[in-house]
mmCIF file with all atom_site columns, all heavy atoms in Angstrom:
data_model
loop_
_atom_site.group_PDB
_atom_site.id
_atom_site.type_symbol
_atom_site.label_atom_id
_atom_site.label_alt_id
_atom_site.label_comp_id
_atom_site.label_asym_id
_atom_site.label_entity_id
_atom_site.label_seq_id
_atom_site.pdbx_PDB_ins_code
_atom_site.Cartn_x
_atom_site.Cartn_y
_atom_site.Cartn_z
_atom_site.occupancy
_atom_site.B_iso_or_equiv
_atom_site.pdbx_formal_charge
_atom_site.auth_seq_id
_atom_site.auth_comp_id
_atom_site.auth_asym_id
_atom_site.auth_atom_id
_atom_site.pdbx_PDB_model_num
ATOM 1   N N   . LEU L 1 105 ? -4.166  -6.270  25.085 1.00 92.00 ? 105 LEU L N   1
ATOM 2   C CA  . LEU L 1 105 ? -3.644  -5.098  25.777 1.00 92.00 ? 105 LEU L CA  1
ATOM 3   C C   . LEU L 1 105 ? -4.549  -3.909  25.487 1.00 92.00 ? 105 LEU L C   1
ATOM 4   O O   . LEU L 1 105 ? -5.173  -3.831  24.425 1.00 92.00 ? 105 LEU L O   1
ATOM 5   C CB  . LEU L 1 105 ? -2.226  -4.781  25.297 1.00 92.00 ? 105 LEU L CB  1
ATOM 6   C CG  . LEU L 1 105 ? -1.188  -5.878  25.475 1.00 92.00 ? 105 LEU L CG  1
ATOM 7   C CD1 . LEU L 1 105 ? 0.139   -5.476  24.845 1.00 92.00 ? 105 LEU L CD1 1
ATOM 8   C CD2 . LEU L 1 105 ? -1.011  -6.222  26.952 1.00 92.00 ? 105 LEU L CD2 1
ATOM 9   N N   . LYS L 1 106 ? -4.594  -2.985  26.437 1.00 94.00 ? 106 LYS L N   1
ATOM 10  C CA  . LYS L 1 106 ? -5.389  -1.774  26.278 1.00 94.00 ? 106 LYS L CA  1
ATOM 11  C C   . LYS L 1 106 ? -4.468  -0.576  26.482 1.00 94.00 ? 106 LYS L C   1
ATOM 12  O O   . LYS L 1 106 ? -3.734  -0.506  27.468 1.00 94.00 ? 106 LYS L O   1
ATOM 13  C CB  . LYS L 1 106 ? -6.516  -1.751  27.307 1.00 94.00 ? 106 LYS L CB  1
ATOM 14  C CG  . LYS L 1 106 ? -7.394  -0.524  27.261 1.00 94.00 ? 106 LYS L CG  1
ATOM 15  C CD  . LYS L 1 106 ? -8.474  -0.633  28.340 1.00 94.00 ? 106 LYS L CD  1
ATOM 16  C CE  . LYS L 1 106 ? -9.318  0.614   28.421 1.00 94.00 ? 106 LYS L CE  1
ATOM 17  N NZ  . LYS L 1 106 ? -10.342 0.494   29.485 1.00 94.00 ? 106 LYS L NZ  1
ATOM 18  N N   . PHE L 1 107 ? -4.477  0.338   25.513 1.00 95.00 ? 107 PHE L N   1
ATOM 19  C CA  . PHE L 1 107 ? -3.690  1.566   25.596 1.00 95.00 ? 107 PHE L CA  1
ATOM 20  C C   . PHE L 1 107 ? -4.646  2.753   25.651 1.00 95.00 ? 107 PHE L C   1
ATOM 21  O O   . PHE L 1 107 ? -5.496  2.899   24.775 1.00 95.00 ? 107 PHE L O   1
ATOM 22  C CB  . PHE L 1 107 ? -2.762  1.709   24.387 1.00 95.00 ? 107 PHE L CB  1
ATOM 23  C CG  . PHE L 1 107 ? -1.664  0.692   24.353 1.00 95.00 ? 107 PHE L CG  1
ATOM 24  C CD1 . PHE L 1 107 ? -1.837  -0.519  23.709 1.00 95.00 ? 107 PHE L CD1 1
ATOM 25  C CD2 . PHE L 1 107 ? -0.457  0.944   24.978 1.00 95.00 ? 107 PHE L CD2 1
ATOM 26  C CE1 . PHE L 1 107 ? -0.824  -1.468  23.685 1.00 95.00 ? 107 PHE L CE1 1
ATOM 27  C CE2 . PHE L 1 107 ? 0.569   0.003   24.955 1.00 95.00 ? 107 PHE L CE2 1
ATOM 28  C CZ  . PHE L 1 107 ? 0.380   -1.199  24.309 1.00 95.00 ? 107 PHE L CZ  1
ATOM 29  N N   . SER L 1 108 ? -4.476  3.582   26.661 1.00 95.00 ? 108 SER L N   1
ATOM 30  C CA  . SER L 1 108 ? -5.284  4.800   26.762 1.00 95.00 ? 108 SER L CA  1
ATOM 31  C C   . SER L 1 108 ? -4.873  5.742   25.635 1.00 95.00 ? 108 SER L C   1
ATOM 32  O O   . SER L 1 108 ? -3.819  5.550   25.017 1.00 95.00 ? 108 SER L O   1
ATOM 33  C CB  . SER L 1 108 ? -5.057  5.462   28.114 1.00 95.00 ? 108 SER L CB  1
ATOM 34  O OG  . SER L 1 108 ? -3.755  6.029   28.164 1.00 95.00 ? 108 SER L OG  1
ATOM 35  N N   . PRO L 1 109 ? -5.658  6.777   25.354 1.00 92.00 ? 109 PRO L N   1
ATOM 36  C CA  . PRO L 1 109 ? -5.266  7.728   24.314 1.00 92.00 ? 109 PRO L CA  1
ATOM 37  C C   . PRO L 1 109 ? -3.882  8.340   24.567 1.00 92.00 ? 109 PRO L C   1
ATOM 38  O O   . PRO L 1 109 ? -3.172  8.674   23.626 1.00 92.00 ? 109 PRO L O   1
ATOM 39  C CB  . PRO L 1 109 ? -6.360  8.798   24.367 1.00 92.00 ? 109 PRO L CB  1
ATOM 40  C CG  . PRO L 1 109 ? -7.558  8.067   24.880 1.00 92.00 ? 109 PRO L CG  1
ATOM 41  C CD  . PRO L 1 109 ? -7.005  7.067   25.867 1.00 92.00 ? 109 PRO L CD  1
ATOM 42  N N   . GLY L 1 110 ? -3.477  8.425   25.827 1.00 89.00 ? 110 GLY L N   1
ATOM 43  C CA  . GLY L 1 110 ? -2.153  8.958   26.152 1.00 89.00 ? 110 GLY L CA  1
ATOM 44  C C   . GLY L 1 110 ? -1.046  7.929   26.100 1.00 89.00 ? 110 GLY L C   1
ATOM 45  O O   . GLY L 1 110 ? 0.124   8.252   26.307 1.00 89.00 ? 110 GLY L O   1
ATOM 46  N N   . GLY L 1 111 ? -1.385  6.653   25.825 1.00 89.00 ? 111 GLY L N   1
ATOM 47  C CA  . GLY L 1 111 ? -0.378  5.610   25.678 1.00 89.00 ? 111 GLY L CA  1
ATOM 48  C C   . GLY L 1 111 ? -0.154  4.752   26.904 1.00 89.00 ? 111 GLY L C   1
ATOM 49  O O   . GLY L 1 111 ? 0.705   3.874   26.897 1.00 89.00 ? 111 GLY L O   1
ATOM 50  N N   . THR L 1 112 ? -0.924  4.947   27.983 1.00 93.00 ? 112 THR L N   1
ATOM 51  C CA  . THR L 1 112 ? -0.774  4.116   29.170 1.00 93.00 ? 112 THR L CA  1
ATOM 52  C C   . THR L 1 112 ? -1.251  2.702   28.865 1.00 93.00 ? 112 THR L C   1
ATOM 53  O O   . THR L 1 112 ? -2.365  2.504   28.375 1.00 93.00 ? 112 THR L O   1
ATOM 54  C CB  . THR L 1 112 ? -1.579  4.695   30.357 1.00 93.00 ? 112 THR L CB  1
ATOM 55  O OG1 . THR L 1 112 ? -1.129  6.026   30.589 1.00 93.00 ? 112 THR L OG1 1
ATOM 56  C CG2 . THR L 1 112 ? -1.398  3.856   31.599 1.00 93.00 ? 112 THR L CG2 1
ATOM 57  N N   . ARG L 1 113 ? -0.407  1.723   29.167 1.00 94.00 ? 113 ARG L N   1
ATOM 58  C CA  . ARG L 1 113 ? -0.668  0.320   28.836 1.00 94.00 ? 113 ARG L CA  1
ATOM 59  C C   . ARG L 1 113 ? -1.225  -0.424  30.038 1.00 94.00 ? 113 ARG L C   1
ATOM 60  O O   . ARG L 1 113 ? -0.761  -0.260  31.165 1.00 94.00 ? 113 ARG L O   1
ATOM 61  C CB  . ARG L 1 113 ? 0.641   -0.332  28.397 1.00 94.00 ? 113 ARG L CB  1
ATOM 62  C CG  . ARG L 1 113 ? 0.570   -1.801  28.146 1.00 94.00 ? 113 ARG L CG  1
ATOM 63  C CD  . ARG L 1 113 ? 1.938   -2.321  27.777 1.00 94.00 ? 113 ARG L CD  1
ATOM 64  N NE  . ARG L 1 113 ? 1.980   -3.763  27.782 1.00 94.00 ? 113 ARG L NE  1
ATOM 65  C CZ  . ARG L 1 113 ? 2.982   -4.471  27.312 1.00 94.00 ? 113 ARG L CZ  1
ATOM 66  N NH1 . ARG L 1 113 ? 4.047   -3.862  26.824 1.00 94.00 ? 113 ARG L NH1 1
ATOM 67  N NH2 . ARG L 1 113 ? 2.948   -5.771  27.334 1.00 94.00 ? 113 ARG L NH2 1
ATOM 68  N N   . SER L 1 114 ? -2.236  -1.275  29.768 1.00 94.00 ? 114 SER L N   1
ATOM 69  C CA  . SER L 1 114 ? -2.761  -2.187  30.780 1.00 94.00 ? 114 SER L CA  1
ATOM 70  C C   . SER L 1 114 ? -3.159  -3.477  30.075 1.00 94.00 ? 114 SER L C   1
ATOM 71  O O   . SER L 1 114 ? -3.285  -3.523  28.858 1.00 94.00 ? 114 SER L O   1
ATOM 72  C CB  . SER L 1 114 ? -3.950  -1.566  31.516 1.00 94.00 ? 114 SER L CB  1
ATOM 73  O OG  . SER L 1 114 ? -5.007  -1.296  30.624 1.00 94.00 ? 114 SER L OG  1
ATOM 74  N N   . THR L 1 115 ? -3.341  -4.529  30.858 1.00 92.00 ? 115 THR L N   1
ATOM 75  C CA  . THR L 1 115 ? -3.805  -5.805  30.309 1.00 92.00 ? 115 THR L CA  1
ATOM 76  C C   . THR L 1 115 ? -5.308  -5.856  30.476 1.00 92.00 ? 115 THR L C   1
ATOM 77  O O   . THR L 1 115 ? -5.819  -5.777  31.589 1.00 92.00 ? 115 THR L O   1
ATOM 78  C CB  . THR L 1 115 ? -3.144  -6.991  31.022 1.00 92.00 ? 115 THR L CB  1
ATOM 79  O OG1 . THR L 1 115 ? -1.728  -6.904  30.817 1.00 92.00 ? 115 THR L OG1 1
ATOM 80  C CG2 . THR L 1 115 ? -3.645  -8.319  30.476 1.00 92.00 ? 115 THR L CG2 1
ATOM 81  N N   . PHE L 1 116 ? -6.028  -5.997  29.362 1.00 93.00 ? 116 PHE L N   1
ATOM 82  C CA  . PHE L 1 116 ? -7.485  -6.047  29.400 1.00 93.00 ? 116 PHE L CA  1
ATOM 83  C C   . PHE L 1 116 ? -7.984  -7.475  29.617 1.00 93.00 ? 116 PHE L C   1
ATOM 84  O O   . PHE L 1 116 ? -8.919  -7.698  30.368 1.00 93.00 ? 116 PHE L O   1
ATOM 85  C CB  . PHE L 1 116 ? -8.073  -5.467  28.115 1.00 93.00 ? 116 PHE L CB  1
ATOM 86  C CG  . PHE L 1 116 ? -9.570  -5.466  28.082 1.00 93.00 ? 116 PHE L CG  1
ATOM 87  C CD1 . PHE L 1 116 ? -10.287 -4.577  28.870 1.00 93.00 ? 116 PHE L CD1 1
ATOM 88  C CD2 . PHE L 1 116 ? -10.257 -6.348  27.274 1.00 93.00 ? 116 PHE L CD2 1
ATOM 89  C CE1 . PHE L 1 116 ? -11.672 -4.580  28.856 1.00 93.00 ? 116 PHE L CE1 1
ATOM 90  C CE2 . PHE L 1 116 ? -11.642 -6.354  27.248 1.00 93.00 ? 116 PHE L CE2 1
ATOM 91  C CZ  . PHE L 1 116 ? -12.348 -5.474  28.035 1.00 93.00 ? 116 PHE L CZ  1
ATOM 92  N N   . ALA L 1 117 ? -7.365  -8.456  28.939 1.00 89.00 ? 117 ALA L N   1
ATOM 93  C CA  . ALA L 1 117 ? -7.792  -9.857  29.065 1.00 89.00 ? 117 ALA L CA  1
ATOM 94  C C   . ALA L 1 117 ? -6.640  -10.774 28.700 1.00 89.00 ? 117 ALA L C   1
ATOM 95  O O   . ALA L 1 117 ? -5.753  -10.408 27.933 1.00 89.00 ? 117 ALA L O   1
ATOM 96  C CB  . ALA L 1 117 ? -8.993  -10.134 28.159 1.00 89.00 ? 117 ALA L CB  1
ATOM 97  N N   . THR L 1 118 ? -6.654  -11.979 29.252 1.00 84.00 ? 118 THR L N   1
ATOM 98  C CA  . THR L 1 118 ? -5.662  -13.005 28.927 1.00 84.00 ? 118 THR L CA  1
ATOM 99  C C   . THR L 1 118 ? -6.388  -14.302 28.575 1.00 84.00 ? 118 THR L C   1
ATOM 100 O O   . THR L 1 118 ? -7.589  -14.429 28.780 1.00 84.00 ? 118 THR L O   1
ATOM 101 C CB  . THR L 1 118 ? -4.715  -13.264 30.121 1.00 84.00 ? 118 THR L CB  1
ATOM 102 O OG1 . THR L 1 118 ? -5.482  -13.682 31.246 1.00 84.00 ? 118 THR L OG1 1
ATOM 103 C CG2 . THR L 1 118 ? -3.917  -12.015 30.475 1.00 84.00 ? 118 THR L CG2 1
ATOM 104 N N   . GLY L 1 119 ? -5.634  -15.263 28.044 1.00 79.00 ? 119 GLY L N   1
ATOM 105 C CA  . GLY L 1 119 ? -6.190  -16.576 27.751 1.00 79.00 ? 119 GLY L CA  1
ATOM 106 C C   . GLY L 1 119 ? -7.228  -16.587 26.658 1.00 79.00 ? 119 GLY L C   1
ATOM 107 O O   . GLY L 1 119 ? -8.255  -17.244 26.778 1.00 79.00 ? 119 GLY L O   1
#
Side-chain angles (χ1 to χ4, degrees):
L105 301 175
K106 179 180 175 181
F107 292 90
S108 71
T112 303
R113 174 182 169 170
S114 61
T115 299
F116 181 72
T118 59

